[in-house]
Amino acid sequence: MNPLLRMIFPSLRKGKGALWALVVLLAPCTAGAATAGIIPSPPRIAAKSYILMDAASGDVLAEQNADEKVPPASLTKMMTAYVVESELAAGNIGRDEQVTVSERAWRMRGSLMFIEVGEQVSVDNLLKGVIIVSGNDASVALAEHVAGSERAFSDLMNATANKLGMASSHFQNASGWPAADHYTTARDLAILSRHIIQDYPEYYASYAEKEFQYGVNKRTGEPLAPQPNRNSLLWSGIGVDGLKTGHTSAAGYCLAASATQDDRRLIAVVMGAANERARARETQKLLTYGFRFFENVAIKSGGISLTSFRVWQGDRNTLSGGLEEDLVVTVPRGTSGQVEASVRVDSDIRAPVEAGQVIGSVVVRQDGEIVKQRDLLALETVKTGSFLKRMWDSILYFFSHLLG
């Protein structure tokens, strides 16, 4: 359970060049928690690389070789789906829009949705074919529909990766078919997973679907049997509801998984496991570790005023500051009482000030050590005041600083 936050404002004291306000956290220990502050080392994970991340805070709880560039295999399709979802959200394509399947898409090998050349398939069905049954054919069909060609679509993928901060990824195709200069990292895939979950929640439900049925038997006209989702952890009962599996001889067996327990969500990415069972087993070990030994502390919600302060030479005298997004930290279970946050406001804020402008910072400490820092943003715009207002503020400013 996240502790309650009580902020004391406007109890301000002057510091050199800044104003500070102390945030007091009410942080009771969680019942049944591990011994406070005693966290074992992460479990041994039999994989080439891995990472465990809290979805709310973005904090990394365990990692090994998380920045090593590796072939992503079908985990590539997570980016393919994200780009398509971005296009849907922007209104550039529609879910019911019909896609004509090209011969190139139809000729894809490996895992397939089993679409036919020349067939008309909706974007929605193709997206499910990518997410649920890892269809290489569906991936190419969507890429060609969105961007005209798979190569052009890969440019969109790389531009999106750059936008999301996936600094060590490069995509050459939409399916994850082995190709030179096609790589990513466990860390980048965790970043992408977090965006898939948070940016387009209306599409995330598809990642939890255990099977997908599409197409008919040409000879009998009967519907083809449903294909199962390859993510075996969906049946594990530990709260897993996504995301994607992958395998090639070069990549090994890979899995990006997300699970929820007690209102917390974790993301685990395991790359290069030995087989299907191993990737599921090692991923489950990471998720169990994260849920058992860590908890979240909610510091403050985004977009809500944290404090108000004096602004000079504006058409108003005060300005509210807050965070762009919710601020959460993940800490060892039972240590949330050691967490406190302070707000630093840049001194001498003068108009004009634009909403969203950085005007200070929020610093979170645990046991005196800085664990996270975020920009404090102006929550509204303050325009330049009239000539008389500016003159009056100049006089007030002079005497206020003269008197200390």
Side-chain angles (χ1 to χ4, degrees):
M1 178 182 298
N2 289 340
L4 299 177
L5 175 68
R6 181 175 296 168
M7 306 199 70
I8 298 180
F9 290 117
S11 302
L12 301 175
R13 67 175 177 86
K14 278 195 174 182
K16 186 176 180 180
L19 294 174
W20 288 85
L22 181 65
V23 179
V24 178
L25 295 173
L26 305 180
C29 293
T30 304
T35 304
I38 301 177
I39 301 297
S41 299
R44 292 182 179 272
I45 302 299
K48 188 172 184 180
S49 62
Y50 70 81
I51 193 168
L52 176 65
M53 176 185 289
D54 185 276
S57 67
D59 293 337
V60 174
L61 311 183
E63 63 177 283
Q64 178 178 291
N65 302 327
D67 295 310
E68 182 177 341
K69 294 177 181 178
V70 292
S74 283
L75 269 62
T76 299
K77 297 183 178 80
M78 293 163 58
M79 177 59 81
T80 299
Y82 185 86
V83 171
V84 173
E85 290 160 10
S86 300
E87 293 294 302
L88 285 164
N92 295 329
I93 56 175
R95 296 182 73 157
D96 295 327
E97 196 167 305
Q98 297 297 302
V99 177
T100 302
V101 178
S102 70
E103 183 174 348
R104 187 173 184 277
W106 172 71
R107 288 189 179 279
M108 288 299 295
R109 294 171 290 163
S111 55
L112 300 171
M113 178 180 165
F114 297 109
I115 49 181
E116 298 292 335
V117 64
E119 183 180 5
Q120 296 275 303
V121 188
S122 70
V123 168
D124 192 56
N125 274 332
L126 287 171
L127 189 56
K128 289 180 178 178
V130 170
I131 292 171
I132 304 169
V133 298
S134 197
N136 292 334
D137 48 0
S139 300
V140 174
L142 279 174
E144 292 175 339
H145 183 72
V146 168
S149 69
E150 190 175 12
R151 178 170 291 277
F153 187 82
S154 68
D155 291 338
L156 288 179
M157 297 171 75
N158 291 319
T160 301
N162 183 64
K163 178 181 176 182
L164 298 183
M166 299 170 61
S168 301
S169 296
H170 189 266
F171 300 100
Q172 294 281 49
N173 58 60
S175 66
W177 196 261
D181 208 30
H182 186 90
Y183 56 82
T184 188
T185 67
R187 190 182 311 280
D188 280 1
L189 288 171
I191 292 170
L192 176 58
S193 299
R194 191 170 181 233
H195 279 282
I196 287 171
I197 294 163
Q198 296 180 351
D199 295 353
Y200 305 113
E202 64 272 30
Y203 298 106
Y204 183 64
S206 293
Y207 287 89
E209 294 189 26
K210 295 179 179 179
E211 62 181 21
F212 180 60
Q213 189 282 324
Y214 183 82
V216 297
N217 186 304
K218 290 182 180 180
R219 184 173 59 83
T220 65
E222 294 293 321
L224 294 175
Q227 291 193 72
N229 194 316
R230 291 168 173 79
N231 183 2
S232 62
L233 289 182
L234 294 176
W235 287 265
S236 66
I238 62 170
V240 172
D241 57 7
L243 286 140
K244 192 76 190 67
T245 63
H247 169 254
T248 63
S249 57
Y253 289 82
C254 309
L255 175 58
S258 182
T260 57
Q261 290 183 20
D262 299 327
D263 296 325
R264 284 186 62 212
R265 178 179 289 280
L266 297 180
I267 294 166
V269 179
V270 170
M271 307 296 290
N275 51 54
E276 290 184 15
R277 286 188 177 183
R279 72 183 174 193
R281 180 185 65 244
E282 302 307 290
T283 302
Q284 185 167 349
K285 285 161 63 175
L286 281 174
L287 293 171
T288 300
Y289 173 75
F291 284 124
R292 176 68 181 87
F293 294 107
F294 295 88
E295 64 180 323
N296 284 351
V297 179
I299 302 301
K300 194 64 179 177
S301 299
I304 296 175
S305 177
L306 282 172
T307 184
S308 60
F309 51 91
R310 187 68 160 88
V311 58
W312 300 97
Q313 300 187 349
D315 60 355
R316 55 193 296 182
N317 289 331
T318 59
L319 175 65
S320 295
L323 297 161
E324 181 178 14
E325 299 176 340
D326 294 353
L327 178 55
V328 178
V329 294
T330 305
V331 299
R333 191 172 289 278
T335 68
S336 55
Q338 302 170 5
V339 178
E340 63 178 21
S342 56
V343 176
R344 183 185 65 82
V345 180
D346 296 338
S347 62
D348 303 339
I349 301 295
R350 297 173 181 266
V353 178
E354 295 294 329
Q357 181 177 323
V358 177
I359 43 83
S361 60
V362 178
V363 180
V364 182
R365 291 179 172 85
Q366 183 178 21
D367 200 21
E369 296 292 326
I370 294 177
V371 294
K372 188 167 291 189
Q373 185 167 324
R374 292 289 183 269
D375 289 335
L376 182 72
L377 306 178
L379 296 183
E380 58 251 334
T381 295
V382 179
K383 297 179 180 179
T384 303
S386 66
F387 174 76
L388 289 177
K389 178 64 164 57
R390 298 197 305 273
M391 289 296 295
W392 177 244
D393 273 10
S394 295
I395 295 170
L396 290 178
Y397 179 84
F398 173 78
F399 281 105
S400 67
H401 283 66
L402 182 66
L403 298 173

